[in-house]
Amino acid sequence: EMEAKYSRKMQALRDELDLRRKTEIHELEERKNTQISELVGNHEGAFGAIKNYYNDITAKNLALINLLKEQVEELRKREAVLEKEKAEVVLRNKELTEPLQEAQELVAELQKKLVHYNRDKEALMTSKAHLKVTQKELKDLQWEHEVLEQRFGKVQEERDELYHKFTKAINEVQQKTGFKNLLLERKLQGLLTLLEQKEVEISEVMAASNLDPSALSLVSHKLEDVLNSKNATIQDLQLQLARVCKAHNDMLQTFEAKLTAFGIPLDNLGFQPLSFPFPGQ
């Protein structure tokens, strides 16, 4: 019974699927036929359009060919007319060749004369313009010469005045600087001599006195502090001396540069400026 039951169900399912398959095949065929009809219609329309297009082109080309034939015929007629006119013009050219040659020779001669005339005219204009420019430059140079002569006289007066001022100033500065350097050197020499004496006295005192090591160390430290202070003072004096020497030398260089700028030879000073060496040199 179960086998018969399922056989019936199987047969019913087969019938249903067969019916569905047939239905779908029928629908597919209908859609295919519709598409085929649309494609045929489209192809027929495109073919008609192409046919009309090429028919129009053919008609236009035929019309153009006819028009070109007419133009060619007209051009042949015009060519015959032009050939006839050409023969007439050649004949007239032969008749006018000799007068034309004479006229060309005359024109060539006149052009040569015109070139020479234009060249002479341009040379004359250039000479006049150059003469005007030269006259103006001469006037400007004369005026500049007068101005330069006045300025030269004024510069000579200023140079003489500056020469006297610089000479006086260099003498004063050299005297002051030399005196100050001498004082600083003497002060430095005195301090060095005093330092040597103090060192000798301290050495004698320390040798003569039987101090214990701690007191001797204390005295030594104090002595070192005093020596360091004196050394700092000596270095400060040496630095001051170096600054004064440098300022003096810079002043001499500036003075020489000013003399050179005003065109005054250094030999005209009448003395040789003293350039101080720096301490240690």
Side-chain angles (χ1 to χ4, degrees), residues 194-207 209 211 214-232 234:
L194 180 62
L195 178 62
E196 292 177 358
Q197 292 177 359
K198 293 296 182 182
E199 288 180 352
V200 172
E201 291 177 0
I202 290 172
S203 299
E204 292 177 355
V205 170
M206 291 177 64
S209 61
L211 299 176
S214 60
L216 184 60
S217 176
L218 181 61
V219 171
S220 298
H221 285 301
K222 290 183 179 180
L223 180 59
E224 288 179 359
D225 293 338
V226 173
L227 290 176
N228 290 331
S229 176
K230 295 299 181 181
N231 288 331
I234 291 171

Side-chain angles (χ1 to χ4, degrees), residues 103-117:
Q104 287 178 348
E105 292 175 357
L106 180 60
V107 168
E109 186 178 357
L110 292 175
Q111 285 180 349
K112 290 180 180 179
K113 292 181 179 180
L114 180 61
V115 169
H116 290 297
Y117 172 75

Side-chain angles (χ1 to χ4, degrees), residues 44-55:
E44 289 178 354
F47 179 74
I50 292 172
K51 185 177 180 181
N52 293 329
Y53 173 73
Y54 282 106
N55 287 333

Side-chain angles (χ1 to χ4, degrees), residues 127-137:
S127 300
K128 288 182 178 179
H130 185 65
L131 179 61
K132 290 182 180 180
V133 173
T134 305
Q135 290 177 350
K136 185 177 182 302
E137 290 178 354

Side-chain angles (χ1 to χ4, degrees), residues 125-173:
M125 292 177 64
T126 305
S127 300
K128 288 182 178 179
H130 185 65
L131 179 61
K132 290 182 180 180
V133 173
T134 305
Q135 290 177 350
K136 185 177 182 302
E137 290 178 354
L138 178 62
K139 290 181 180 179
D140 294 338
L141 289 174
Q142 289 176 351
W143 181 78
E144 289 180 0
H145 179 69
E146 293 178 358
V147 173
L148 288 175
E149 282 185 347
Q150 295 176 2
R151 290 179 62 186
F152 179 72
K154 187 176 180 181
V155 169
Q156 280 185 334
E157 293 177 359
E158 293 178 355
R159 184 196 65 180
D160 296 337
E161 184 179 357
L162 287 173
Y163 175 75
H164 294 299
K165 288 183 179 179
F166 274 127
T167 304
K168 184 177 180 181
I170 193 66
N171 290 329
E172 293 178 356
V173 172

